[in-house]
Amino acid sequence: MKISIVGSGYVGLVSGACFAQMGNQVICIDIDDLKVENLKQGIVPIYEPGLEGMVKENISKGALDFSTDIQQSIASSLITFIAVGTPMGEDGSADLQYVLLVAKSIGQYMQNYMVIVDKSTVPVGTAAKVRETIQKELDKRGVNIEFDVVSNPEFLKEGAAINDFMHPDRVVIGADNDKAMQIMHDLYSPFMKTRDRFVGMDIKSAEMTKYAANAMLATKISFMNEISNICEKVGADVNKVRDGIGSDSRIGYSFIYPGCGYGGSCFPKDVQALAKTAKDFGYTPRILDAVERVNYDQKKVIANKVIKRFGENLDGFIFAVWGLSFKPETDDMREATSITIIDELTSRGAKINAYDPKARYEAETHYLKNNRNITYVDGKYDAIKGADAVILVTEWQEFRSPDFEEIKKMLKQAVFFDGRNQFSKERMEEMGFEYIQIGVGS
């Protein structure tokens, strides 16, 4: 099939590469000239395992191309995906201006029947707005071209997006007629050879499914973090509680690991957008509001522990921060807990030695670019030299089995703050560390 994808960010680029991998003819469109020129040369602007190699392979085969010209790019496409950003507005709602600008362009330039796919995460009712926008432009042109708008939410995990796309656990499609539904089924059937994971439904339900899925996962995280905080108060160990409840098949172990809060491009934005949608329709989403409040507070838990241990005035103290990205296997720092922790500590006079295997550039050039109290280093042990304590924020694999004896030698004080509960408290204390984690009472 001939496919165009408008928006060459995380979702658009992964989708384009994977569709091309299955033999489709794909062109990805973006308004950023430099990004497009780099992509044509196989230079990928984000870190995602396996993505760069797949992009280069399909460029060389002629299956994948990039352009800034939407008019020419969609001219012969049967399917056009809208995969542009939907940033969070000040009131928590999803900003649809870029989605509707793309819809307007499609209406201005489409020549033949087309399926327009909302791939961006959008609130319920967006497909109708996209349809209305396209039809308005067609009416201005005085042409009658048939088209369908469908919803196809993405469920990609950053750090595992290629595998998620190539081997989906479900493909959700919302459509209002059999023709569009069949075209989408044909497009995705090569990804579902072992069993059919295609879930067809009405458009509004598909739009709702994405928000409901992310809100559910965020709820599990905030719930477990709340249990963690209670455990600290009553003297229980949240790690043992997790084992106790996770063995119940109705609960399971996924997303019940206590930590220092969730971040990223999806959970924070989607929880707030769903809550805003509910309020717009006259419903107060009490659970969603609580999920967000718990997460907001949880991002400060580790910083508060550091302040409790070292005092409010942190002048003269140096802390080694391990991990900047919101999760391992990505360079994404959107809503990352590391930002909160570093800001809380440096505002009190602390200096930070920061190390992350992939997110340093993002931190230096964007998310923490104005913070002059940070020194970025090239390795995890470089961060520790002369530091008063280690703060583990992101659970990258290289942090799982460090040389603790070497760490003790390099630290001014053998203090280790663990924001992800990676290690055994008993073992760390046996090795002579003052080990401070989350959710373990004294």
Side-chain angles (χ1 to χ4, degrees), residues 8 47 83 141 153-154 180 296 314 339 341 352 402 428:
S8 296
Y47 174 71
R141 291 167 58 191
E154 55 85 14
Y296 177 84
L314 297 177
I339 299 171
I341 293 173
I352 301 294
M428 291 292 285

Side-chain angles (χ1 to χ4, degrees), residues 96-391:
L96 297 178
Q97 63 172 312
Y98 304 114
V99 170
L100 297 180
L101 279 173
V102 174
K104 182 176 181 180
S105 295
I106 292 171
Q108 290 171 339
Y109 301 129
M110 65 185 294
Q111 300 297 325
N112 303 295
Y113 171 79
M114 184 183 293
V115 177
I116 295 94
V117 184
D118 283 335
K119 195 69 171 171
S120 303
T121 301
V122 293
V124 176
T126 299
K129 293 179 180 178
V130 168
R131 174 181 292 281
E132 180 182 346
T133 301
I134 294 172
Q135 189 60 57
K136 185 176 179 179
E137 295 303 315
L138 293 176
D139 292 343
K140 286 181 182 178
R141 291 167 58 191
V143 295
N144 183 21
I145 301 174
E146 183 187 357
F147 69 94
D148 286 302
V149 178
V150 307
S151 175
N152 173 210
E154 55 85 14
F155 301 98
L156 305 177
K157 298 186 295 291
E158 292 193 45
I162 297 296
N163 184 70
D164 286 348
F165 202 104
M166 298 299 287
H167 308 283
D169 51 16
R170 81 281 207 196
V171 174
V172 173
I173 301 293
D176 57 10
N177 65 75
D178 292 340
K179 179 180 180 180
M181 191 71 81
Q182 186 61 54
I183 289 172
M184 295 304 293
H185 190 278
D186 292 345
L187 174 64
Y188 277 106
S189 60
F191 299 92
M192 302 180 288
K193 286 300 184 183
T194 55
R195 65 182 178 89
D196 196 343
R197 301 174 180 87
F198 192 88
V199 183
M201 59 184 70
D202 63 275
I203 294 172
K204 288 185 177 181
S205 295
E207 292 171 330
M208 186 67 177
T209 296
K210 168 67 174 181
Y211 281 112
N214 280 350
M216 183 59 163
L217 297 175
T219 299
K220 291 185 74 174
I221 294 170
S222 280
F223 174 82
M224 203 63 202
N225 283 333
E226 183 137 287
I227 294 297
S228 170
N229 296 331
I230 297 171
C231 284
E232 283 195 25
K233 297 292 186 183
V234 302
D237 184 336
V238 72
N239 302 300
K240 295 173 182 177
V241 173
R242 184 195 70 233
D243 289 338
I245 67 173
S247 57
D248 187 328
S249 61
R250 297 170 300 175
I251 298 172
Y253 289 99
S254 296
F255 289 85
I256 63 167
Y257 286 82
C260 46
Y262 60 75
S265 63
C266 293
F267 288 5
K269 177 170 69 74
D270 292 355
V271 169
Q272 292 182 52
L274 182 55
K276 177 62 167 58
T277 296
K279 291 169 185 174
D280 287 345
F281 282 82
Y283 181 80
T284 301
R286 290 165 292 179
I287 293 176
L288 296 179
D289 286 344
V291 167
E292 181 62 22
R293 286 197 306 273
V294 168
N295 192 62
Y296 177 84
D297 292 340
Q298 196 69 18
K299 288 185 174 184
K300 296 184 178 182
V301 164
I302 285 294
N304 290 338
K305 290 179 180 293
V306 174
I307 294 163
K308 181 180 179 181
R309 169 63 176 77
F310 290 97
E312 275 287 340
N313 184 354
L314 297 177
D315 281 334
F317 290 103
I318 300 172
F319 300 104
V321 171
W322 280 4
L324 297 170
S325 58
F326 87 93
K327 62 178 287 189
E329 297 301 327
T330 181
D331 60 355
D332 193 344
M333 282 188 63
R334 285 174 286 186
E335 302 287 336
T337 298
S338 63
I339 299 171
T340 301
I341 293 173
I342 290 172
D343 284 346
E344 288 289 322
L345 300 183
T346 56
S347 69
R348 291 169 170 81
K351 303 289 186 183
I352 301 294
N353 292 340
Y355 170 67
D356 188 284
K358 295 296 179 182
R360 173 175 175 171
Y361 178 80
E362 292 294 313
E364 282 188 295
T365 61
H366 186 60
Y367 293 97
L368 293 165
K369 67 179 181 180
N370 295 321
N371 194 323
R372 304 305 177 196
N373 290 324
I374 305 171
T375 298
Y376 296 95
V377 297
D378 296 325
K380 59 181 180 287
Y381 297 118
D382 295 329
I384 295 170
K385 294 174 183 176
D388 293 280
V390 179
I391 304 171

Side-chain angles (χ1 to χ4, degrees), residues 53-102:
M54 186 177 284
V55 168
K56 289 180 176 178
E57 176 186 346
N58 285 287
I59 290 174
S60 67
K61 291 192 300 186
L64 179 63
D65 197 5
F66 300 91
S67 176
T68 58
D69 188 342
I70 189 171
Q71 181 175 1
Q72 183 179 353
S73 299
I74 70 171
S76 58
S77 296
L78 172 61
I79 304 172
T80 294
F81 284 85
I82 301 177
V84 294
T86 53
M88 184 168 59
E90 291 184 6
D91 61 355
S93 62
D95 187 344
L96 297 178
Q97 63 172 312
Y98 304 114
V99 170
L100 297 180
L101 279 173
V102 174

